Amino acid sequence: MNPACKQYSTDIIGLKRPTALDKLFDSIPKPKGAVPEFGLPKWKVMPLESKIPMVPGPEGVYNFTRRKLGEELWISTPDAEFNLSDPYGYEIQWTYDSLHDKHLLPHFSKPNIIRHLIKSGFVTKNLDAKCSLKDYNMYRRYLRRLHCDSIKKELNRRTKQSIEERAILYAQEQAEKEVKRLRERERLMELRKSAITQSKMTEKMKLQKQKEKQRKIDERLQALAQKKKETQQMRYIKSKAHAEIIQQKQIAATDIRRQKIIQTLLEWNRKERIRKKMLETRLAHEREEKRKIVELKYI
């Protein structure tokens, strides 16, 4: 295998899969001046905490610059947080450079001073203040802090946005749950309403059936009462007719008994007359007999 291909394969195998934090670092652009305009391509992807190495070459071929002449080096953003990670200045040395003093800008803006600075090698033709490699690497540390602040602000922004999105998502989920709950409640209310309506219809039908049954019972009771009344009337009529018949029979029996009594009395009267007549006849005969006896006795 070709050694170059082998080295390329080893580099590919040794590559680390980028994480979400690495993608966040890559998405935040590095501050201006963090990478020199000259140099190797690897310097552009080199992290800011890494130092730019010394590249041997003729004097004046390349120059390290930080900012323009008269522009401040150490500038803090208005919304930067108070940083106490390096209170004793071990990480960054906040050195003074007169070329970046804004109060000396009117002095450095004079043409003869500019020509003198260019001739002395302090600034470039583009009025960029030159510095040493050590100062440039120190300035990269400062830019790294600014870059970290930007990353931190972006991370806080994304965290806040993520929290807001989660809150919105949670609110949407709660709203969907509330909508589902309300729909379920409406469905249950509809079912309950339907059940109540069905129950009312059932009760109504049951009440109608009870009314119909009660009506039939009332009609039957009325029919029975009417029939009973008619039966009582028929019984009354029959009893009245029977009483009349009995009364007629009693009257007839009374008449017969009276006739019998009358006949008996008449018979008694007739017999009494006959008896009296016979008695009178017998008495008359006895008197006649006595008279004859007397007559015979006295003759």
Side-chain angles (χ1 to χ4, degrees):
M1 182 182 289
N2 192 355
C5 294
K6 185 176 181 180
Q7 181 66 27
Y8 179 72
S9 301
T10 306
D11 292 340
I12 292 177
I13 294 172
L15 287 176
K16 183 181 178 182
R17 185 176 181 179
T19 60
L21 193 59
D22 295 334
K23 292 180 181 179
L24 177 62
F25 286 165
D26 295 337
S27 64
I28 304 299
K30 295 179 180 179
K32 186 178 180 181
V35 180
E37 298 178 357
F38 60 91
L40 301 175
K42 189 177 180 180
W43 290 3
K44 295 182 180 181
V45 296
M46 185 183 297
L48 292 176
E49 60 268 15
S50 300
K51 294 181 179 181
I52 299 295
M54 175 63 72
V55 179
E59 185 179 357
V61 174
Y62 59 88
N63 296 305
F64 290 100
T65 59
R66 292 177 289 186
R67 300 198 72 183
K68 294 288 185 180
L69 181 65
E71 293 182 357
E72 294 184 5
L73 287 177
W74 322 112
I75 301 175
S76 60
T77 56
D79 54 348
E81 296 181 358
F82 195 70
N83 193 344
L84 292 176
S85 60
D86 186 25
Y88 297 104
Y90 294 143
E91 183 180 356
I92 301 174
Q93 295 179 3
W94 307 91
T95 58
Y96 172 75
D97 192 346
S98 60
L99 296 177
H100 294 284
D101 192 344
K102 64 179 181 179
H103 302 289
L104 297 178
L105 181 60
H107 173 69
F108 291 141
S109 299
K110 296 178 181 179
N112 56 343
I113 301 298
I114 292 175
R115 287 195 298 270
H116 174 69
L117 292 175
I118 293 173
K119 185 177 180 181
S120 300
F122 291 109
V123 295
T124 62
K125 293 181 180 180
N126 295 329
L127 299 181
D128 292 327
K130 296 180 181 180
C131 65
S132 63
L133 179 60
K134 179 181 179 182
D135 293 337
Y136 186 76
N137 286 328
M138 186 65 66
Y139 186 66
R140 276 172 60 87
R141 291 184 182 179
Y142 166 71
L143 295 180
R144 175 181 174 274
R145 178 175 291 182
L146 294 181
H147 188 239
C148 289
D149 290 340
S150 300
I151 291 173
K152 186 176 181 181
K153 284 189 283 186
E154 180 65 20
L155 185 61
N156 291 335
R157 187 189 68 80
R158 292 190 181 184
T159 303
K160 185 177 180 181
Q161 183 179 0
S162 176
I163 293 173
E164 291 178 354
E165 288 177 355
R166 286 199 299 269
I168 293 172
L169 183 61
Y170 177 75
Q172 290 178 353
E173 290 177 355
Q174 293 297 321
E176 290 177 358
K177 289 181 180 179
E178 185 68 19
V179 169
K180 289 182 180 179
R181 189 178 66 82
L182 290 176
R183 288 179 179 175
E184 184 67 18
R185 184 177 178 183
E186 289 179 357
R187 187 181 68 83
L188 292 176
M189 289 180 67
E190 289 294 332
L191 291 176
R192 185 178 179 184
K193 187 176 180 181
S194 177
I196 292 173
T197 305
Q198 188 69 23
S199 177
K200 287 183 178 179
M201 291 295 294
T202 306
E203 289 292 333
K204 188 175 180 181
M205 294 295 294
K206 187 176 180 181
L207 186 61
Q208 288 180 355
K209 288 182 179 179
Q210 289 179 353
K211 287 182 178 179
E212 185 68 20
K213 187 176 180 180
Q214 187 66 31
R215 186 181 63 80
K216 290 181 179 180
I217 292 172
D218 293 338
E219 289 179 355
R220 187 176 178 182
L221 290 175
Q222 289 179 0
L224 290 173
Q226 185 68 24
K227 188 175 181 181
K228 185 177 180 180
K229 186 176 181 181
E230 291 177 356
T231 304
Q232 288 178 354
Q233 288 179 356
M234 290 297 295
R235 286 180 180 177
Y236 175 73
I237 293 171
K238 287 181 179 181
S239 62
K240 187 175 181 181
H242 183 66
E244 289 178 355
I245 292 171
I246 292 172
Q247 188 176 4
Q248 290 177 1
K249 287 182 179 181
Q250 289 178 352
I251 292 171
T254 304
D255 291 338
I256 292 170
R257 191 167 51 252
R258 188 171 62 248
Q259 290 294 330
K260 285 182 179 182
I261 292 170
I262 292 171
Q263 291 293 332
T264 302
L265 291 174
L266 290 175
E267 185 68 22
W268 285 356
N269 289 328
R270 187 180 64 80
K271 287 180 178 182
E272 184 67 23
R273 285 194 304 270
I274 292 171
R275 189 183 64 79
K276 286 180 178 181
K277 188 175 180 181
M278 288 178 68
L279 181 61
E280 289 176 356
T281 303
R282 187 175 61 81
L283 290 175
H285 182 68
E286 287 179 355
R287 283 192 305 266
E288 186 65 27
E289 286 284 335
K290 285 179 179 182
R291 188 181 63 81
K292 287 178 176 182
I293 292 170
V294 170
E295 287 180 355
L296 289 177
K297 186 178 180 180
Y298 290 104
I299 294 173

